[in-house]
Amino acid sequence: MFDSLIPRITAITASAKDVDSKLLSICELLKKEVPHYDWVGFYFKNEDKRELKLGPYAGAPTDHTLIPFGKGICGQVAESNQNFVVPDVQAQDNYIACSINVKSEIVVPLFIDGENVGQIDIDSNTPDPFTAEDERFLEFVNAEVAKIYVP
């Protein structure tokens, strides 16, 4: 499944659209084409503050437009610089609930010149669907986004 999405991701990042439109197109593509991706969005470091700011996303609206570093899965990834796969969000003490339907989450940091500038966040209504293949694919997506995103 992911192999067929790779050329589509590179086509989006190479397109003439503005960066936010490209990011939104990536979110919409992933939400539509990957059955267990129910909410797909980008969070980016909010200037010099120790918080993340919501960027383009596809899925249900969220109240979580700003997330302090350390808070929730996204905030933990902002500090750890490591992928975080959560098979069961109910088992996480530091989880910020976005929807009662969300069962699992994966967050992969986005690096530019070795600095963690943001992340891609995927919520799934399916329990424990994420594999190492999801991680590698999302790392690829972020590497492509890093080529076009200017912090």
Side-chain angles (χ1 to χ4, degrees):
M1 163 182 37
F2 293 124
D3 287 344
S4 67
L5 293 176
I6 287 172
R8 295 170 72 183
I9 296 292
T10 55
I12 290 170
T13 58
S15 72
K17 296 189 262 185
D18 65 271
V19 173
D20 278 352
S21 295
K22 291 178 188 185
L23 295 177
L24 180 59
S25 293
I26 289 169
C27 293
E28 290 170 340
L29 174 69
L30 296 183
K31 183 179 181 303
K32 179 177 181 257
E33 297 295 329
V34 183
H36 57 280
Y37 288 11
D38 295 297
W39 190 95
V40 179
F42 288 95
Y43 281 93
F44 293 101
K45 189 174 176 190
N46 190 11
E47 299 169 3
D48 290 334
K49 300 174 186 162
R50 288 187 41 80
E51 66 184 12
L52 297 165
K53 185 175 183 180
L54 180 62
Y57 68 93
T62 179
D63 294 334
H64 304 227
T65 57
L66 293 174
I67 299 175
F69 281 20
K71 180 94 169 126
I73 308 308
C74 291
Q76 290 177 71
V77 169
E79 291 192 329
S80 74
N81 299 321
Q82 302 289 319
N83 297 353
F84 198 160
V85 179
V86 181
D88 177 5
V89 296
Q90 297 301 322
Q92 284 294 316
D93 292 338
N94 194 9
Y95 173 68
I96 302 172
C98 296
S99 162
I100 59 167
N101 297 323
V102 174
K103 304 288 187 246
S104 55
E105 183 173 10
I106 184 171
V107 179
V108 176
L110 192 159
F111 296 97
I112 297 178
D113 296 328
E115 181 186 353
N116 183 347
V117 299
Q119 53 202 230
I120 190 166
D121 178 21
I122 315 278
D123 289 344
S124 180
N125 299 342
T126 304
D128 196 14
F130 302 114
T131 66
E133 190 179 8
D134 290 275
E135 287 189 74
R136 300 299 82 80
F137 174 67
L138 295 172
E139 288 167 354
F140 163 79
V141 169
N142 279 355
E144 289 299 301
V145 169
K147 295 174 184 176
I148 60 167
Y149 181 74
V150 178

